[in-house]
Structure formats: structure tokens, C-alpha cells
Amino acid sequence: MRKVVFYSAKGRLLHGVLPSFANPLMRRAMAAGGKFCAGGLPDVVQNVYFCGMKRLFPLVILLSFLMLSCDRYAKYDAMFRPIDSLANERPDSALRLLEAMKPRIGDAPGRIKAYYGLMRTKYMLNAGARFTSDSAIRAVAGYYDRHGDDNQRMFSKLLLGCVNRSMGDNTEAMLNLEAAAASADTTADDCLYAVLGQVYAHLSQVYLDEYMPRNVIRASQLCYRYSMKAGDTLTALSGLDHISNAYIFMGQPDSALAVTLRSSRLFRESGYVEASAISQAKLIEIYLDRGDTANAARCMAVFDRD
């Protein structure tokens, strides 16, 4: 079952705990078989992910990774490749295999050690590991600052920001995510737009968490632009939907309603029926606040049906 990403209007999740003021319809969806988790890598604000399977941990939306291609590192490529192919479906297993490789990495060149650290952080985030320090991924990001290309710097700083977010340090997360965005060269043919879209998705979440709604709107718009450029429709539409949360914080329910209606329609037209249905929870909340019980009931019927 695919993972569906969507955003809450007011509910804020901390490590998978839905607080009392969160939308009760979200609780109903969770009780019906879904799972709500904190979004540290694509919600810091909160970007709420609806996960259809327990094995999918939404702290990280799975991202494209850079593979080393230099011939003299081919033996290491051969070791990494099957693990990375397993990671999207079974991050726990991939992490165990990677840990088993660790003794063989001890005498590897610096770029191999850095790539190992990059992959290890990715798999730990995907597997839902709790971080108590960012020193390992910070060292990796430092290596790519000195020796990496724009894409490697962007991705390593994205992971560093996600680790910061998972540790509850939004200040560092914001700084590193902004640095990740600044690392991207959007004029280059090989720019990883999918990763850049993820950077802005997480950045918009941090901004909302820190009550910076205008920054949320700008970051979400950029998330939409670059994710669409990369063909990542789900993340793009999630970024679009997230803009409504900023309008809610700004006390502009009409704007929030217009954005949510559009994102819900586009989710459905793009085949993401679950995401479209979940967005109905936000619409119900907006309609009830306006005293529009007829439209609230209509959205409730769609939510229950889908």
C-alpha cells in the first residue's frame, strides 16, 4: 500500500502522540486503521503523514540517493547497491545489512566513509530511530561541504536538518534546511529537484512550527514548484495543501478553504484518493467554524466513504 502524505490544519503531532486539541476526525482516521506520525523530514509544523502500513515510518519521505560511479570504488558500489535497493521497502533490514558492512569500511577512502554515513542516516530516519546526537551526519555534511558537489551538499544538509528536527532542535533544523536550499544549483542539468522539493517541504514545516506563516507559504510554493518539476506529484500537492495551514494561523479561513478545496480536488484527480479524503477533515473543520453544517456533512460523507 502506498504512503499518503497530507497536512493537518491544527493538530500537532509530537513523536506520534496526537494531542487533545487535534482534529477529532484525524483520531477517527487513525482508529480506522491508519497511523499518524510526526513529520520530521517532508512535517516539522506539522506535516502529518497517513501511513497505511506499520513498516512505513514517515519521518522521511523516501528520497533519491547519489551512487558513486568512480571505477576504482566499484567494489564498494557492489556492496552498497543491493542494500539501497532494499531500503525503500525494508529500511530496518537495510540498516542491519549496512551495519554488517561497517568493519569493511574502516580502511575505505574518505568519500566511501561519507557515503556510508549518508546512507546510514537515511536508513535510521526511515526506520524511525531516535537520535541523541547529530555529530555523525554533521561530520558527513562537513565532508561534502569540502569535497562534494551541489547535490551532495544539499542532500547531506537535508538529512542533518531532519536529524535536528527529530531531536527537537528547530533552530538548527531551520539553519541546515536553509543551507540545503542554498546549496542547490537550479540552473544545472543534474539538479536533484525531487530532493530540493523535500528540502522546502521540511522547511515549511519548521516555519509553521515556529509561527512564521508567510515563510510557510513561500516555502510550500517552492516545494510545489520543484516537486512538480521532478515529477513528484504527491509531495507537490502536499506542499500546496500545506499552504492552507498558514492561512489558518493567519486567521484567513476563506483563503484556507480555497486552497484546501483545490488540493483535495487535485489529490483525487491524480489518483491519491486517500489523501483527498483525509483533506476533508480540514474542510469539515473550516465549514463548522463558519457554521456551514450542510457542507460539513457533505465532506463528512466523503471522508467516511473514502
Side-chain angles (χ1 to χ4, degrees):
M1 182 181 300
R2 70 177 176 274
K3 177 172 61 180
V4 177
V5 184
F6 68 98
Y7 298 91
S8 68
K10 294 182 179 178
R12 298 178 57 190
L13 294 176
L14 300 176
H15 304 296
V17 178
L18 192 65
S20 59
F21 57 82
N23 193 315
L25 292 170
M26 295 179 184
R27 294 182 178 279
R28 290 187 53 197
M30 184 166 59
K35 180 181 178 182
F36 286 166
C37 309
L41 177 82
D43 190 13
V44 181
V45 219
Q46 301 292 330
N47 170 17
V48 182
Y49 297 92
F50 179 80
C51 308
M53 301 179 68
K54 291 182 179 179
R55 62 184 174 82
L56 295 177
F57 186 83
L59 183 59
V60 181
I61 296 178
L62 299 178
L63 306 174
S64 300
F65 255 83
L66 305 174
M67 289 300 296
L68 303 174
S69 58
C70 185
D71 289 342
R72 67 194 181 104
Y73 299 131
K75 68 175 182 178
Y76 296 104
D77 284 351
M79 294 163 60
F80 285 129
R81 194 171 296 112
I83 300 176
D84 204 39
S85 65
L86 177 69
N88 287 355
E89 294 298 322
R90 300 172 62 187
D92 290 337
S93 298
L95 184 59
R96 286 194 294 270
L97 290 173
L98 195 68
E99 293 289 355
M101 280 179 54
K102 192 171 184 178
R104 303 177 63 181
I105 299 298
D107 60 350
R111 69 181 292 185
I112 298 298
K113 291 180 179 178
Y115 184 65
Y116 177 92
L118 201 69
M119 294 180 71
R120 184 172 183 272
T121 302
K122 172 195 174 184
Y123 300 158
M124 290 178 69
L125 287 167
N126 288 354
R130 295 293 181 86
F131 290 85
T132 57
S133 172
D134 67 356
S135 58
I137 186 59
R138 187 174 292 277
V140 170
Y143 175 88
Y144 285 123
D145 270 342
R146 298 185 302 274
H147 305 292
D149 60 26
D150 294 330
N151 287 325
Q152 290 167 325
R153 284 190 286 273
M154 173 173 60
F155 194 81
S156 61
K157 290 184 183 299
L158 169 59
L159 291 186
L160 177 56
C162 292
V163 170
N164 295 146
R165 178 65 184 97
S166 74
M167 295 171 60
D169 190 344
N170 274 358
T171 300
E172 281 295 307
M174 188 185 302
L175 290 173
N176 286 308
L177 290 169
E178 289 175 341
S183 297
D185 181 1
T186 57
T187 65
D189 292 337
D190 64 346
C191 179
L192 295 179
Y193 290 110
V195 176
L196 185 55
Q198 296 292 336
V199 170
Y200 280 113
H202 289 284
L203 195 50
S204 72
Q205 298 161 24
V206 175
Y207 286 148
L208 189 57
D209 209 30
E210 295 301 309
Y211 307 103
M212 303 166 68
R214 296 190 184 280
N215 289 32
V216 173
I217 293 173
R218 180 57 178 163
S220 296
Q221 289 171 338
L222 291 171
C223 169
Y224 178 83
R225 175 192 300 176
Y226 292 121
S227 296
M228 287 298 289
K229 193 174 181 68
D232 184 358
T233 307
L234 181 56
T235 300
L237 296 182
S238 297
L240 174 64
D241 186 71
H242 194 41
I243 293 173
S244 64
N245 294 329
Y247 284 130
I248 288 174
F249 270 78
M250 295 166 68
Q252 299 180 26
D254 290 344
S255 297
L257 177 62
V259 170
T260 307
L261 285 170
R262 182 187 176 198
S263 62
S264 180
R265 174 178 57 81
L266 291 174
F267 272 133
R268 186 172 295 277
E269 290 177 356
S270 300
Y272 300 113
V273 177
E274 297 97 332
S276 177
I278 293 299
S279 68
Q280 301 299 311
K282 193 189 305 185
L283 289 173
I284 294 168
E285 185 176 9
I286 294 171
Y287 282 132
L288 288 177
D289 286 344
R290 294 157 62 99
D292 188 345
T293 56
N295 272 318
R298 178 181 57 79
C299 291
M300 176 69 80
V302 174
F303 181 87
D304 288 339
R305 182 192 67 205
D306 295 339

